[in-house]
Amino acid sequence: MSPAQIEKAEKRKRDEDVAVSKKSKKEKKEKKDKKKDKKDKKVAKPVEEKMDVDAAPAAAAPAAVEPKKTIKKNVEILASYKYQQDDELTALPQSTIDEFYKKHTIEVTGDLKLRPILEFKQAGLPDNILEVVKNFANPTPIQAATWPITLSGRDIIGIAETGSGKTLAFTIPGLVHIAAKLKKGKKSGKPSMLVVSPTRELAMQSAEQAEAAGKAVGVTSICVYGGVDKQPQRRAFQRGVDIVVATPGRLIDLINEGTCDLTEVSFMVLDEADRMLDDGFENDIRSIMSYSPKDRQTLMFSATWPESIRKLASDFLNNPMRVTIGSPDLAASQNVQQIVKVIENPRDKERHLLDLLKKVHKSRTNRVLIFALYKKEAIRVERSLEYHGYKVVGIHGDKNQQQRTEALSSFKDGSFPLMIATDVAARGLDIPDVEYVINLTFPLTIEAYVHRIGRTGRGGKKGIAYTFFTPEDKSHSGELINVLKQANMEVPEELMAFGTTVKKKTHSAYGAFYKDTGGEVKKATKIVFD
Ligand code: AMP
């Protein structure tokens, strides 16, 4: 074993030991809590206890327990909240709105005339829910533009990238919606809110935020995804939940076996809808929609706006408003410097990778994310980097969920600052401070390239993306050149030599070639307030 392999094994052992000791502490605490509960019925059952740790590993951090009385009061306060426009706080002048929309390239389409919420206080939300955003200065553009619409109960399509703050854009209105139902006497049981996500990792991130945000009002969440034992997920459903965050395949399984009942879902979110269609989940999504009531409120988020997504929206959303942040066409983040290295012989890529790491990962502490195309490639390169003494972890489809979660947290906490991933990790993951992305092998689509490099340069920081391009990737040269030019990046001569032609796309998720024929919502009309 290399030193890095030994260290990895030791870390796993340490983590296991910590987990065991946490578990026994937790068991003791639960016993004590149960005794206390019997003695004093007024004290609420811990949210953590109601949750299934296996079913929602991302949300398993011990939650501060709110007493039942406080929760009841919080629910009442939140349930009586009604979004107000045109009062002193929200009546922004047209010039301020125009400036905001222009600065963030926001377009709002549809028949509802609502001003954006530029400061949290303009939402008029009660303090118990504002607690969730207390560390943020202002709403992000997607929150600013969608909250008034969603809080008014309308269906909405949000065209925005992951990383734009869209989880809270839908979670906070979702909680307001659930509080209103709880106040009317609905008991936690069948879920009221469903979030469908394309990947397990994204689902876990959303569940984590939902769990944290729902604590004050006693709203429980679970996260269900495939690749893990169904039993804990079944038990969580039996105990009753308010919010389900799920990947489509496992959700359908649980519906079909009668574990999950969507008949009370009145707030539905389709997250990264374009990605789900790309991954072949269209039929699953259509079935999921058909299992939930028609009069639900539906929110759909997508990074692009191709024909397939417009069709889905027109089939399942009711007179939706549409909010587009930035261009719905394919555009690389301006915060990422893109460097393309043409390598004549694909066999030389790994040698080039080692040379590059010597340069960009000299400190061996900065976070570098390497993308491979195939699982086998990811496995081979992970081993090779370990052999060369790097502290590296990998995530790809051959790893089970626990291994993927462990790898991700070791990368996030910096103990293993190198990660090699297949495209499973390319979208949706919110990993802070990835300094470099290296595309060891070019992805299958130019969209995936844009999403991969978007893992760096996040949160206003600058990032650098290196891409190895070989004659095997020739068919992507024209598209890559376009993306580079659009972002004002240097285009290497050797890349130009592969040709600049872009094949007419048949790929459904590609936004750059669609013509907006209006779809299910009217063409953009400027909404004027004054
Ligand atoms: P998301 O697009 O939901 O994955 O969010 C990306 C990141 O933005 C997450 O780390 C959020 O915690 C963070 N975030 C959400 N809302 C805000 C906000 N209003 N201001 C700053 N960061 C935010």
Side-chain angles (χ1 to χ4, degrees):
M1 266 204 229
S2 72
Q5 281 170 317
I6 293 167
E7 183 157 343
K8 205 187 245 181
E10 280 174 351
K11 181 171 189 298
R12 196 167 298 137
K13 174 86 178 62
R14 275 199 308 273
D15 287 349
E16 276 167 14
D17 289 348
V18 171
V20 169
S21 113
K22 269 190 189 161
K23 200 177 156 205
S24 63
K25 268 189 198 159
K26 195 176 159 225
E27 276 165 4
K28 271 187 201 160
K29 186 178 175 299
E30 278 174 2
K31 263 191 194 164
K32 208 173 142 199
D33 282 346
K34 266 184 198 157
K35 264 191 195 165
K36 199 163 171 259
D37 232 16
K38 270 186 193 161
K39 261 168 88 188
D40 181 5
K41 285 240 154 122
K42 279 181 196 156
V43 179
K45 209 174 178 195
V47 172
E48 191 192 359
E49 229 182 85
K50 284 189 240 160
M51 285 195 29
D52 200 298
V53 173
D54 286 336
V65 184
E66 299 280 3
K68 248 185 190 159
K69 237 163 79 184
T70 318
I71 286 179
K72 197 164 168 240
K73 204 165 142 232
N74 281 341
V75 168
E76 271 175 23
I77 295 171
L78 195 56
S80 57
Y81 165 78
K82 206 161 173 21
Y83 177 61
Q84 302 280 352
Q85 275 272 311
D86 294 338
D87 58 12
E88 232 177 276
L89 277 176
T90 55
L92 302 167
Q94 184 69 45
S95 55
T96 311
I97 299 171
D98 285 348
E99 199 184 309
F100 182 75
Y101 281 177
K102 191 166 169 221
K103 184 171 168 203
H104 299 286
T105 331
I106 299 175
E107 188 182 83
V108 181
T109 316
D111 59 5
L112 199 60
K113 195 174 144 173
L114 292 173
R115 292 175 158 90
I117 292 170
L118 304 195
E119 294 170 31
F120 287 117
K121 65 172 194 248
Q122 289 168 358
L125 283 159
D127 289 346
N128 57 25
I129 202 82
L130 283 181
E131 200 40 33
V132 177
V133 292
K134 69 170 186 235
N135 294 327
F136 303 139
N138 286 308
T140 62
I142 188 85
Q143 293 161 358
T146 61
W147 273 341
I149 301 166
T150 320
L151 288 167
S152 305
R154 280 288 293 269
D155 283 6
I156 191 166
I157 301 160
I159 309 291
E161 275 283 0
T162 296
S164 55
K166 64 185 164 53
T167 315
L168 286 176
F170 60 72
T171 303
I172 288 182
L175 288 171
V176 173
H177 178 97
I178 296 171
K181 281 177 87 172
L182 293 176
K183 182 157 180 241
K184 278 186 198 148
K186 186 194 178 294
K187 296 266 170 294
S188 275
K190 293 181 193 170
S192 296
M193 173 170 167
L194 172 66
V195 181
V196 191
S197 294
T199 62
R200 304 177 232 197
E201 281 77 13
L202 185 60
M204 280 160 67
Q205 279 174 198
S206 297
E208 193 175 7
Q209 292 205 32
E211 184 60 25
K215 227 162 45 185
V217 277
V219 163
T220 53
S221 322
I222 61 161
C223 184
V224 298
Y225 44 77
V228 291
D229 185 9
K230 277 192 195 137
Q231 203 49 35
Q233 300 178 355
R234 290 188 186 115
R235 284 201 300 269
F237 274 107
Q238 278 155 12
R239 282 197 296 270
V241 289
D242 303 298
I243 304 178
V244 175
V245 186
T247 54
R250 174 57 62 94
L251 183 64
I252 289 281
D253 278 0
L254 294 173
I255 293 171
N256 287 343
E257 66 171 37
T259 300
C260 172
D261 179 344
L262 301 185
T263 52
E264 286 191 27
V265 168
S266 45
F267 192 94
M268 162 94 80
V269 182
L270 293 181
D271 198 7
E272 298 211 348
D274 52 349
R275 168 78 190 266
M276 292 200 278
L277 295 197
D278 267 4
D279 291 350
F281 287 128
E282 178 156 359
N283 287 342
D284 285 353
I285 289 168
R286 287 179 179 274
S287 321
I288 290 166
M289 301 303 254
S290 70
Y291 289 122
S292 64
K294 278 211 164 54
D295 58 355
R296 61 174 187 255
Q297 184 180 2
T298 311
L299 288 67
M300 192 168 96
F301 291 89
S302 177
T304 53
W305 183 228
E307 180 58 39
S308 52
I309 289 295
R310 282 180 287 157
K311 176 86 177 73
L312 196 68
S314 74
D315 288 350
F316 293 107
L317 275 70
N318 179 20
N319 190 20
M321 293 289 293
R322 178 163 41 120
V323 172
T324 308
I325 313 284
S327 161
D329 298 344
L330 196 64
S333 161
Q334 299 290 331
N335 290 332
V336 182
Q337 187 191 350
Q338 302 172 62
I339 301 169
V340 177
K341 230 172 141 47
V342 173
I343 297 174
E344 282 307 322
N345 187 348
R347 283 163 186 258
D348 293 339
K349 282 194 299 187
E350 276 180 52
R351 184 170 52 77
H352 282 280
L353 175 67
L354 290 170
D355 287 348
L356 184 58
L357 285 176
K358 274 187 204 148
K359 195 171 111 187
V360 302
H361 193 52
K362 219 182 193 165
S363 68
R364 304 229 170 180
T365 55
N366 57 335
R367 260 183 226 118
V368 180
L369 178 55
I370 304 165
F371 280 104
L373 184 55
Y374 300 108
K375 290 183 252 184
K376 283 210 168 95
E377 183 190 18
I379 294 164
R380 190 186 66 240
V381 175
E382 185 184 348
R383 285 202 192 118
S384 153
L385 291 175
E386 264 178 357
Y387 174 80
H388 283 92
Y390 286 103
K391 287 190 193 168
V392 57
V393 284
I395 62 169
H396 50 75
D398 268 2
K399 293 212 169 175
N400 67 30
Q401 190 49 41
Q402 196 192 345
Q403 290 169 321
R404 282 161 69 163
T405 309
E406 271 173 15
L408 201 58
S409 69
S410 305
F411 185 58
K412 276 188 177 176
D413 71 20
S415 52
F416 285 74
L418 263 189
M419 181 156 92
I420 178 142
T422 53
D423 285 285
V424 112
R427 281 178 59 167
L429 292 186
D430 182 32
I431 303 164
D433 298 327
V434 173
E435 204 173 332
Y436 294 91
V437 162
I438 301 175
N439 288 311
L440 179 65
T441 299
F442 202 80
L444 293 177
T445 64
I446 192 73
E447 294 78 16
Y449 168 80
V450 171
H451 291 298
R452 280 180 178 188
I453 67 169
R455 294 313 96 200
T456 178
R458 292 167 79 79
K461 297 210 173 83
K462 297 276 175 209
I464 299 179
Y466 283 91
T467 300
F468 295 165
F469 198 91
T470 74
E472 289 176 351
D473 312 311
K474 188 172 183 290
S475 62
H476 297 292
S477 64
E479 297 164 326
L480 179 58
I481 290 166
N482 282 350
V483 169
L484 292 172
K485 280 188 177 163
Q486 205 186 0
N488 295 324
M489 298 289 152
E490 195 183 315
V491 182
E493 291 276 309
E494 304 95 302
L495 181 63
M496 289 295 277
F498 283 121
T500 54
T501 326
V502 176
K503 268 194 275 165
K504 189 92 180 147
K505 274 275 193 184
T506 51
H507 195 271
S508 63
Y510 197 62
F513 285 88
Y514 90 89
K515 264 209 181 101
D516 193 345
T517 50
E520 81 303 340
V521 278
K522 284 185 218 117
K523 196 120 184 65
T525 41
K526 189 179 165 196
I527 301 175
V528 179
F529 293 90
D530 293 337

